[in-house]
Amino acid sequence: MQKIEFNDLSAQYRNLKPEIDAGIAKVLEECHFISGPQVEELEQELCKYVGRKYCVSVSNGTDALQMPLMAWGVGPGDAVFVPAFTFMATAEVASLVGATPVFCDVKEDTFNLDPASLRKQIERVKAEGKLNPKAVIPVDLFGLTADYDEILPICREFGLLLLEDAAQGFGGVNNGRKACSFGDASATSFFPAKALGCYGDGGAIFTDDKELYDLLVSIRVHGKGDFKYDNVRVGLNARLDTIQAAILLPKLHAFDQENETRGKAAALYNSLLKDKFDVPVTPEKLESSFGYYTLKAKSPEERDRLMKGLEGKGIPTMVYYPKPLHLQEVYKDLGYKEGDFPVSESLSKRVFSLPMHGYITPEIVTYVAEALNGLAE
C-alpha cells in the first residue's frame, strides 16, 4: 500500500502539472502579478459554474466573509447569527466589523445550522432588545449545503440578510442549485485544503446584486472610487494574486471530475463502514462535494482510540472542530456556557475525518475502511 495522504495535493499537481505550470509561466512572462487578465477570466468562469451574475475574487476566505458585512454596513449593535460548530472565521468576521456573533446549534445528522435553533436565538435577541438582528451566516460544512429551504424563509420573516459561507461547500448541490448561489451574497475559500484550492490563500464572493458588487469591488482595493488613488470609503487590500488565479483555472476545469471521484469514494466508504459507524447523511435533493469525509465516534475516548489505531496503520485523520465557537476563550465575555448548544458540543468531542481528495483510489478507501472496521468494538 502506497503512503496515504489525508488530502493528496501532490497527486492533483501530477495530473494537472502541464496546465498549472503553463499558467504560472504565462503570469511570470507577462509580469501582470496584480489584477492580471487571469483574475477576470477566473471570475467569469466561477460565475458560470455556480450560477451567479457577479463574482469578486479576493485574497482569502475570511475577507470574502467580511467584505459583504462591510458593504451592508453591519457594525456595532448588530447581531450576526452563526453556527457554533464551524471554523472561527465565520464568527470572527462579525467581530471584525464591530458586530456581535450570536451562536446557534447545528443538526446532529448534517452538522449544519439548525433552523429551529436559529429561530430561537433570533427571538431571544429581539426579546432582549440589546442588539439589532441583522444577518445570518449559515455554513455549508464538509461539502454539504445548509438547509436553505428552512433558513431562507426565516431570514425573510425577520428581515435578515443571508450570507452563505460556502468555504467548504463549493461543488455541493441543493435542489439543483450549486453552493455559492444562495442568499444575498455567498463566500468561498480557496485555501489549499479546500475541494477547489489554490497554492496559497484566496477566496471569492458571489452575488446577483449589482450595487453590492460595485461596493465589493471598491472595498477590495482600499475603498477606491473611479481610480485607485480616489478613496471614497474605508476598504481592504484584498485582491487575489494573478498567479493564484492562473493556478485555479485548470483546477476549476478539472473540478467536476475530481468531485465525481470524491462522491464515489464517499459512497464506497459508506457501504464499507455503515454497519459499524454512523456514516455521513446526505438529505434528499442534496449532493455533497465531500471536501471532507467525517464520521462520529460514540465517545471522545473511542475517537482517540480509533485515531491512534489508524495512525499506527499509516492512516492520517483530522478533527474538525475540537472546540465549538461559543466556548472559545475569545468569546468568554459573551456569557455562553457549556450546555448551551449540546449538539455542537457533543460533535466537537466525537467527530473525525478520514482521507478524502479528488484522486483517492478505491484501493485506499477500502484499506482505510477495513482498518477502521478492524478497530471497531
Side-chain angles (χ1 to χ4, degrees), residues 18-85:
E19 296 90 345
I20 291 174
D21 287 357
I24 293 173
K26 185 174 182 181
V27 175
L28 296 177
E29 290 167 3
E30 296 177 346
C31 295
H32 290 162
F33 302 116
I34 302 295
S35 302
Q38 292 87 343
V39 173
E40 183 177 353
E41 181 183 354
L42 175 66
E43 290 174 344
Q44 291 174 351
E45 292 202 20
L46 286 169
C47 279
K48 183 178 179 181
Y49 187 86
V50 306
R52 285 280 208 183
K53 291 181 180 178
Y54 306 106
C55 172
V56 179
S57 61
V58 295
S59 49
N60 57 69
T62 305
D63 286 347
L65 287 169
Q66 181 179 342
M67 287 169 57
L69 300 184
M70 294 172 66
W72 290 328
V74 177
D78 291 331
V80 178
F81 299 87
V82 302
F85 183 66

